[in-house]
């Protein structure tokens, strides 16, 4: 049986391990934390949002970043201190601007495909993750933002997604709790929300039942290939170990750049920090005043999702500040203010802040497929859409591994049934 190491126990690593195990591979999952989904997959915005597939490679993004550079509470914040990593990333980001249309269309196609895999896997494994299939409403306060979104809707349609413009009156009907004045909105009925941590934890239990060897609390200390097999050195609890595998899939988030370099691959991932707050709806008034339909506020770059009766998640912003994981009060305050402005009946007395580092590639597309050396594969760099795209890219990379290494066992599950 072919042996595969999957490095990373977040949403992309666990879904990749699942897709490989369903195809009959002998899979070892290596994760630095004691449990799955404890890093960037812990408390994101919750949106399964094909409607948010627009890539960021646009000159307007550059201009906004420059304008907001010294504004600590800006939706997009860039630390002006230069580094070679940051400069090279932005150079590649600018080089990808001509591919804005093509990359947006490709992203939305992956997002649509991912839904079917994710829903099917959750049903097959009995995973409850506060799934709400009530759509996502994008809200706009001015004509310029609304009209830009209309152009994006045309791109999304070319990728197979239906998103329709709605009036302020229709917005109120879709989500009656929303306060404030708006020019209009765009609504995607087919989008959904769910708790990424609950889903990943549930699928992590499922892969154990499928025979995956989950090695938690393991730091990868070395990785190398001899052109035929891959050796992975680890450290757990002071004890070092190493294993040799027929292949390895790098799903290590922001650590993928360093691991890729050790294997001879350029994986220019930059850690883009995002923040979230989880508002605990501890009283009946707050529960009634919180939205049940997910929103994306384009002006503030914030999203919100409702998890069950008593949790409300707000997340967003982008901070280019290296591997800094600090939870800054001046970055959290705008999220709390947004809740109080848009949903004044919700109490913000019980708010839990969080920050995570999104693994973002310059063209905003994930890297899915082979590396330079035989037996090396990647499923990483999903940026702000890891939750949205993960199930599709996991199935994609598992297919690439199977094609490269052959069917692992005669009775392997057919690819058409692996979803």
């Amino acid at each position: 049986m072919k042996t595969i190491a999957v490095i990373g126990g977040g949403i992309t690593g666990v879904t990749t391990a699942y897709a490989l195990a369903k195809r009959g591979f002998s899979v070892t999952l290596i994760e630095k934390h004691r449990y799955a989904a404890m890093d960037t997959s812990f408390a994101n915005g919750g949106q399964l949002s094909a409607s948010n597939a627009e890539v960021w490679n646009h000159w307007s993004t550059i201009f906004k970043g420059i304008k907001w550079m010294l504004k600590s509470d800006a939706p997009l914040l860039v630390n002006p201190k230069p580094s070679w990593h940051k400069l090279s990333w932005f150079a590649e980001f600018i080089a990808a601007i001509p591919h804005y249309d093509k990359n947006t269309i490709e992203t939305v196609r992956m997002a649509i495909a991912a839904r079917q895999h994710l829903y099917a896997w959750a049903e097959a494994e009995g995973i409850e993750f506060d799934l709400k299939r009530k759509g996502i409403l994008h809200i706009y306060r001015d004509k310029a933002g609304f009209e830009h979104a209309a152009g994006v809707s045309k791109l999304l349609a070319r990728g197979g997604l239906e998103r329709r413009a709605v009036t302020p009156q229709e917005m109120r009907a879709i989500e009656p709790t929303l306060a404030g004045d708006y020019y209009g909105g765009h609504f995607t009925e087919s989008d959904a929300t769910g708790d990424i941590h609950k889903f990943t934890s549930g699928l992590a239990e499922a892969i154990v039942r499928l025979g995956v060897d989950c090695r938690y609390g393991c730091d990868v200390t070395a990785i190398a290939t001899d052109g035929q097999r891959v050796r992975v050195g680890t450290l757990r609890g002071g004890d070092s170990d190493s294993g040799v595998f027929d292949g390895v899939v790098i799903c290590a988030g922001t650590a993928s750049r360093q691991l890729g370099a050790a294997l001879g691959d350029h994986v220019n991932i930059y850690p883009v920090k995002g923040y979230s707050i989880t508002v605990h709806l501890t009283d009946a008034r707050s529960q009634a005043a919180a939205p049940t339909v997910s929103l994306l506020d384009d002006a503030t770059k914030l999203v919100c999702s409702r998890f069950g009766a008593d949790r409300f998640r707000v997340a967003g912003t982008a901070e280019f500040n290296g591997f800094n994981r600090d939870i800054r009060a001046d970055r959290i305050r705008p999220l709390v203010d947004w809740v109080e402005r848009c949903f004044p009946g919700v109490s913000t007395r019980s708010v839990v802040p969080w920050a995570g580092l999104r693994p973002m590639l310059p063209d905003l597309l994930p890297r899915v497929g082979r590396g330079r050396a035989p037996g090396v594969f990647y499923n990483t760099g999903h940026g702000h859409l890891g939750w949205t795209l993960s199930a599709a890219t996991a199935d994609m990379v598992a297919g690439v591994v199977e094609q490269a290494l052959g069917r692992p066992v005669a009775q392997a599950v057919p690819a058409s049934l692996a979803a």
Side-chain angles (χ1 to χ4, degrees):
M1 184 181 294
K2 298 289 186 179
T3 58
I4 307 293
V6 175
I7 299 179
I11 183 65
T12 56
V14 172
T15 52
T16 297
Y18 182 81
L20 288 166
K22 292 290 282 185
R23 281 170 165 78
F25 287 96
S26 174
V27 182
T28 298
L29 179 77
I30 301 171
E31 163 58 35
K32 66 180 179 180
H33 293 291
R34 291 182 65 189
Y35 314 100
M38 295 303 292
D39 209 319
T40 309
S41 299
F42 186 74
N44 76 349
Q47 290 191 335
L48 293 161
S49 52
S51 61
N52 197 23
E54 180 192 11
V55 299
W56 298 2
N57 305 90
H58 199 277
W59 283 112
S60 63
T61 308
I62 299 293
F63 298 144
K64 287 175 183 176
I66 294 171
K67 182 177 71 173
W68 290 333
M69 193 170 287
L70 300 178
K71 194 169 183 267
S72 65
D73 61 349
L76 171 62
L77 183 64
V78 180
N79 184 333
K81 184 178 180 180
S83 70
W84 172 249
H85 186 192
K86 191 188 299 180
L87 291 172
S88 69
W89 192 93
F90 275 111
E92 292 184 32
F93 177 93
I94 292 170
I97 288 176
H99 308 295
Y100 164 85
D101 286 10
K102 176 176 70 70
N103 289 350
T104 295
I105 293 167
E106 183 176 346
T107 302
V108 75
R109 285 173 176 161
M110 282 192 289
I112 292 170
R115 293 172 178 163
Q116 306 312 315
H117 292 297
L118 189 142
Y119 296 155
W121 295 350
E123 183 177 358
E125 304 300 340
I127 301 170
E128 201 290 315
F129 61 105
D130 292 322
L131 175 65
K132 280 189 182 296
R133 299 175 68 169
K134 298 188 67 172
I136 293 177
L137 175 65
H138 289 222
I139 62 177
Y140 301 91
R141 292 176 175 81
D142 57 48
K143 182 179 179 180
F146 179 81
E147 290 185 344
H148 173 79
V152 174
S153 292
K154 292 178 181 178
L155 282 180
L156 300 179
R158 288 168 61 186
L161 185 74
E162 181 180 346
R163 184 171 80 161
R164 61 185 173 91
V166 290
T167 66
Q169 294 73 27
E170 290 172 314
M171 291 169 62
R172 303 289 182 210
I174 292 167
E175 183 44 70
T177 65
L178 177 63
D181 295 322
Y182 302 93
Y183 184 87
H186 288 265
F187 185 52
T188 311
E189 295 183 35
S190 58
D191 275 344
T193 59
D195 188 325
I196 187 175
H197 183 74
K198 280 189 174 184
F199 177 86
T200 310
S201 298
L203 199 66
E205 295 176 3
I207 63 176
V208 172
R209 295 193 295 269
L210 290 172
V212 174
D213 178 13
C214 293
R215 300 181 184 178
Y216 294 113
C218 274
D219 283 307
V220 174
T221 56
I223 187 166
T225 175
D226 61 5
Q228 294 182 321
R229 306 191 80 196
V230 180
R231 180 177 294 275
V232 181
T234 58
L235 182 68
R236 177 164 57 178
D239 297 325
S240 59
D241 194 8
S242 67
V244 178
F245 304 90
D246 294 306
V248 63
V249 187
I250 307 297
C251 307
T254 57
S256 300
R257 178 173 178 261
Q258 182 179 0
L259 294 172
L263 294 165
D265 291 308
H266 177 66
V267 187
N268 197 13
I269 284 174
Y270 193 88
V272 180
K273 193 195 309 187
Y275 292 85
S276 79
I277 57 171
T278 301
V279 183
H280 291 280
L281 307 171
T282 56
D283 57 86
R285 181 171 182 263
S286 292
Q287 292 176 10
T292 58
V293 172
S294 181
L295 307 176
L296 188 151
D297 186 336
D298 192 67
T300 60
K301 306 302 180 188
L302 296 180
V303 306
C304 71
S305 299
R306 182 75 175 266
F307 299 147
D310 58 0
R311 287 189 304 146
F312 177 41
R313 177 77 47 77
V314 178
T317 75
E319 184 177 314
F320 289 78
N321 195 21
F323 283 88
N324 181 294
R325 296 176 181 269
D326 294 345
I327 300 176
R328 295 171 44 177
D330 60 346
R331 303 292 283 160
I332 291 294
R333 185 69 242 174
L335 278 65
V336 178
D337 290 344
W338 186 85
V339 173
E340 293 173 350
R341 183 171 66 255
C342 295
F343 304 99
V346 172
S347 169
T348 53
R349 183 172 297 167
S350 180
V351 171
V352 179
W354 175 84
L357 300 179
R358 306 180 187 100
M360 196 161 282
L361 285 161
D363 62 1
L364 276 290
L365 293 175
R367 176 160 179 175
V368 185
R370 301 188 190 198
R372 179 176 299 178
V376 175
F377 308 89
Y378 293 90
N379 183 19
T380 190
H382 295 64
H384 65 299
L385 292 177
W387 181 212
T388 296
L389 302 178
S390 57
T393 61
D395 189 67
M396 289 164 60
V397 79
V400 173
V401 172
E402 185 176 79
Q403 183 181 45
L405 301 183
R407 298 194 69 79
V409 288
Q411 65 271 29
V413 178
S416 60
L417 300 181

